[in-house]
Amino acid sequence: MNKAFVKESDGDDDDLEFGLPPIPAGTKNYMTPAGHARMKAELLDLIDNARPEVVRIVSWAASNGDRSENGDYIYGKRRLREIDRRIRFLTKRLDQAEIVDPSVHHGRDQIFFGATVTYQNQAGEEHTVTIVGIDELDPLHGKISWISPVARALTKAHDGESVTLMTPAGLDELDILNVTYPAPE
């Protein structure tokens, strides 16, 4: 297929493509040591295992002759672009990473990056969240980004205090029930 008909971007839109919010201007990419280790392991796996395997398949498929209707070749090249895009994304995010160890706050009751917080909203619902980096975000498992509205409302508050959160439905009062940090290793 002619490249003129293929929509491929050379831009810096890797953040949007992976569904992650861009790092806010003027801030650092805060990350826990565990999150940094996971991203680094993924990057090394892509470089050492996934990419060489796809290159081997593409090379084999290219040696079979006509590439225009060769599914292995076409799919392999597409997969190679996806892997390369993910490698660029991970490299960029890891280069910008500022590793923050939340265990330095172990035993404190004030909320900072890395805190696990249990709070209750006005409806009486209890929630437990851990404030992590943008790249570690996993809301289904209670990990929220430090730039999220809930994390921003909770940050710097103490155990037992109440904070106000602006939601689309209006103001909500959050009562902080418990603040914990991981123990130092």
Side-chain angles (χ1 to χ4, degrees):
M1 179 176 268
N2 187 336
K3 286 251 188 218
F5 297 105
V6 179
K7 182 184 181 286
E8 290 184 31
S9 66
D10 296 327
D12 212 18
D13 59 352
D14 289 341
D15 293 347
L16 298 176
E17 191 154 333
F18 293 109
L20 294 172
I23 298 166
T27 62
K28 298 180 180 179
N29 185 20
Y30 296 111
M31 199 177 285
T32 63
H36 187 268
R38 273 192 303 278
M39 284 186 77
K40 190 171 184 176
E42 180 185 354
L43 176 63
L44 293 176
D45 182 58
L46 287 172
I47 292 170
D48 295 340
N49 300 322
R51 192 174 195 290
E53 178 63 21
V54 174
V55 167
R56 187 186 63 73
I57 292 169
V58 169
S59 177
W60 167 81
S63 69
N64 288 337
D66 184 18
R67 296 177 187 174
S68 64
E69 295 182 14
N70 186 334
D72 289 328
Y73 179 80
I74 294 169
Y75 173 75
K77 290 294 280 187
R78 183 177 303 134
R79 179 71 183 127
L80 200 55
R81 283 191 301 272
E82 291 169 359
I83 290 171
D84 288 342
R85 191 174 300 118
R86 183 70 180 166
I87 288 171
R88 278 192 315 273
F89 171 79
L90 290 171
T91 302
K92 184 174 91 175
R93 285 292 177 107
L94 288 170
D95 286 347
Q96 296 173 340
E98 174 94 16
I99 301 171
V100 178
D101 187 2
S103 67
V104 299
H105 297 293
H106 183 69
R108 295 183 67 185
D109 72 340
Q110 191 172 14
I111 301 170
F112 295 108
F113 181 86
T116 299
V117 182
T118 302
Y119 66 88
Q120 184 175 20
N121 62 15
Q122 284 178 327
E125 302 165 326
E126 263 190 39
H127 299 278
T128 300
V129 296
T130 302
I131 301 171
V132 296
I134 296 169
D135 299 313
E136 304 170 82
L137 165 72
D138 187 1
L140 296 177
H141 293 100
K143 293 185 177 187
I144 62 171
S145 167
W146 65 274
I147 63 170
S148 70
V150 172
R152 287 184 183 249
L154 293 171
T155 299
K156 295 189 180 176
H158 292 268
D159 190 358
E161 290 183 356
S162 293
V163 295
T164 303
L165 173 67
M166 182 60 153
T167 68
L171 294 178
D172 194 4
E173 197 74 21
L174 306 180
D175 297 321
I176 301 167
L177 305 175
N178 189 26
V179 177
T180 59
Y181 290 93
E185 292 181 14

